[in-house]
Amino acid sequence: MPGLDSSPSVDKTVENIGRLPPDLLAETCQQILSHLQGQVRGVDSAEISDKFQRAGIRLDQEALQEVVQFLFLTFRSTEKNNFSADELVARLGEGSSKWAKAALQVLHRLWSDQGSLVNTHQESQAMLSIGQLVDMQWKLGMAVSSDTCRSLNSPHVSLLLKIADTSGQISQRSFEMTIAQFQNFYRQFKEMAAVLETV
């Protein structure tokens, strides 16, 4: 379980968690728990960051990621070790003396309410370990010139994929394809769709 060995980085993450108002911490934990229950495909750190900023909580991207990752690993470890809410709070208290009482109360309440749901879903997902496509956006563009060529007039398709990895973190991947590459991509997807219709 994260945080059982007190270290400056763990203490700093715990202090950052303690800076969160209880309702904002509960909302952040709820998003993580919803993912662990299979209700949402991933934990959107950008959305959490926006909520923190609107609430006046200033954390840099690395600190935000550490908070989300710490909470995610805490709930995941709690589920894997089949800890009760009381055991969760006791273990966190052993790991760091920096915990705010209000933060521990939020974690206790949420795990008491939803721990069994997480446990049930995680057992059913134990055999699966593949990321999921959350969103795909595309746009058609035209490259008209570059530093080395005055007139390209070359159309391309830009794709942006949002993917939730097995830990629940959502990442974005973007790439461009020429029209010929896109047509090949389209043909392959059309073949997959045809095969899926026969199943």
Side-chain angles (χ1 to χ4, degrees):
M1 176 174 242
L4 290 185
D5 299 323
S6 186
S7 72
S9 65
V10 168
D11 285 342
K12 183 67 178 160
T13 301
V14 169
E15 286 175 352
N16 285 336
I17 291 170
R19 290 177 43 205
L20 302 176
D23 59 331
L24 187 58
L25 175 59
E27 206 174 320
T28 302
C29 291
Q30 183 58 55
Q31 193 174 119
I32 294 166
L33 289 167
S34 293
H35 168 68
L36 291 173
Q37 293 170 27
Q39 296 172 352
V40 296
R41 291 188 173 176
V43 178
D44 192 343
S45 296
E47 181 183 321
I48 292 171
S49 177
D50 289 342
K51 288 178 182 177
F52 282 15
Q53 288 180 0
R54 283 195 301 271
I57 305 298
R58 302 285 179 237
L59 290 178
D60 61 39
Q61 191 63 26
E62 184 179 340
L64 171 77
Q65 289 293 338
E66 288 171 358
V67 165
V68 170
Q69 194 68 18
F70 183 91
L71 292 170
F72 180 84
L73 291 173
T74 296
F75 288 129
R76 190 105 186 231
S77 296
T78 302
E79 179 271 326
K80 284 184 186 274
N81 291 304
N82 205 23
F83 289 152
S84 67
D86 291 334
E87 289 171 310
L88 164 64
V89 169
R91 300 246 177 192
L92 290 173
E94 291 168 11
S96 175
S97 61
K98 305 287 184 182
W99 279 100
K101 184 176 180 180
L104 289 174
Q105 289 172 337
V106 167
L107 296 174
H108 185 279
R109 179 178 51 82
L110 287 170
W111 191 253
S112 293
D113 294 345
Q114 299 181 37
S116 61
L117 298 172
V118 170
N119 205 348
T120 301
H121 179 74
Q122 291 299 311
E123 286 173 2
S124 69
Q125 294 295 310
M127 294 187 308
L128 299 175
S129 62
I130 189 167
Q132 294 182 345
L133 180 64
V134 175
D135 187 30
M136 181 172 93
Q137 299 172 7
W138 65 274
K139 66 180 175 181
L140 181 62
M142 178 72 81
V144 291
S145 67
S146 73
D147 292 341
T148 59
C149 184
R150 289 181 188 262
S151 178
L152 290 176
N153 295 330
S154 171
H156 64 274
V157 175
S158 297
L159 286 173
L160 174 66
L161 305 176
K162 282 189 177 181
I163 301 166
D165 65 17
T166 55
S167 71
Q169 294 287 44
I170 295 178
S171 59
Q172 295 184 1
R173 300 286 184 256
S174 62
F175 56 95
E176 292 182 353
M177 294 182 280
T178 65
I179 296 302
Q181 290 171 326
F182 180 76
Q183 288 170 338
N184 183 40
F185 182 74
Y186 169 75
R187 274 192 296 277
Q188 290 177 4
F189 264 86
K190 196 172 178 181
E191 288 174 23
M192 284 189 286
V195 170
L196 285 173
E197 286 179 8
T198 64
V199 176

